[in-house]
Amino acid sequence: MSKPTAEFNPINIAILTVSDSRTLAEDTSGQYLVDQLKAAGHNLADRELIKDDIYQIRAVISRWIADPEVHAVITTGGTGFYIRDSMPEAVGVLFDKAIDGFGEMFRLISKEDIGMSTMQSRAVAGMANGTGIFCLPGSTGACRAGWENILKEQFDSRTRPCNFIPHFMRVNPSHN
């Protein structure tokens, strides 16, 4: 007897771009993510672009974590080794649980495009208050690799054997 096919459950996703040099109009990486999440049938919960400042990053993401209408956050930028790159340090303290496999898989996938330079990527992810937080590098190519090869499938409730949707809906009862 076969299992019934699961239904698609759209989620609300917030996009945060961290950049000291771009404006929202120039934000091709953030716009790529917005376009892709909408094309996949999800909803844009919010979108912001801020400077790479650890406390501004925490403030914006904390606001989204506290909002029961936001199921996931995708960030772009701030994951490198430059002195101002502070995304992992900003979000790591907010995680209830780290999703170690996200960074590992992102680096594995991006090795095809950028070779061993991938080890300089500090892509990270975690769960906080039932909200998934996924931090990608700032390039549009990196956002494409992360969306197409990881997030698109894991944000689809029909993906088997598992996906992130039940975690967004189950960990915090207000997300139902």
Side-chain angles (χ1 to χ4, degrees):
M1 178 184 230
S2 65
K3 284 178 114 176
T5 305
E7 283 186 37
F8 177 77
N9 293 314
I11 58 172
N12 302 324
I13 303 170
I15 302 294
L16 175 62
T17 300
V18 172
S19 176
D20 290 338
S21 59
R22 279 186 255 161
T23 65
L24 208 53
E26 302 163 329
D27 180 21
T28 57
S29 299
Q31 190 60 52
Y32 170 82
L33 292 167
V34 168
D35 293 344
Q36 295 307 305
L37 75 88
K38 287 180 176 179
H42 300 296
N43 306 304
L44 179 63
D46 200 358
R47 179 180 180 192
E48 289 197 31
L49 185 146
I50 60 172
K51 298 285 184 206
D52 197 337
D53 176 88
I54 196 167
Y55 301 104
Q56 287 184 37
I57 293 167
R58 284 181 187 158
V60 171
I61 293 178
S62 292
R63 187 176 75 241
W64 288 336
I65 291 167
D67 184 344
E69 296 302 312
V70 176
H71 301 115
V73 173
I74 305 173
T75 74
T76 175
T79 61
F81 276 104
Y82 291 104
I83 192 139
R84 297 266 306 154
D85 289 331
S86 57
M87 185 61 73
E89 293 76 18
V91 299
V93 298
L94 301 175
F95 294 162
D96 298 325
K97 290 187 179 190
I99 304 170
D100 297 326
F102 177 78
E104 295 165 358
M105 292 310 301
F106 178 81
R107 284 181 283 282
L108 179 67
I109 290 162
S110 67
K111 184 177 182 282
E112 294 175 22
D113 294 329
I114 63 171
M116 292 311 276
S117 294
T118 192
M119 76 175 123
Q120 292 188 36
S121 168
R122 298 186 314 139
V124 297
M127 295 292 295
N129 194 33
T131 303
I133 304 160
F134 302 86
C135 304
L136 295 167
S139 75
T140 304
C143 289
R144 184 177 303 109
W147 178 263
E148 288 297 323
N149 296 298
I150 303 171
L151 297 176
K152 181 179 179 181
E153 184 176 298
Q154 284 298 298
F155 287 179
D156 190 328
S157 53
R158 300 166 294 191
T159 297
R160 297 291 176 249
C162 59
N163 57 73
F164 280 112
I165 302 305
H167 303 291
F168 300 155
M169 305 300 173
R170 173 172 56 112
V171 175
N172 182 347
S174 65
H175 279 188
N176 288 330

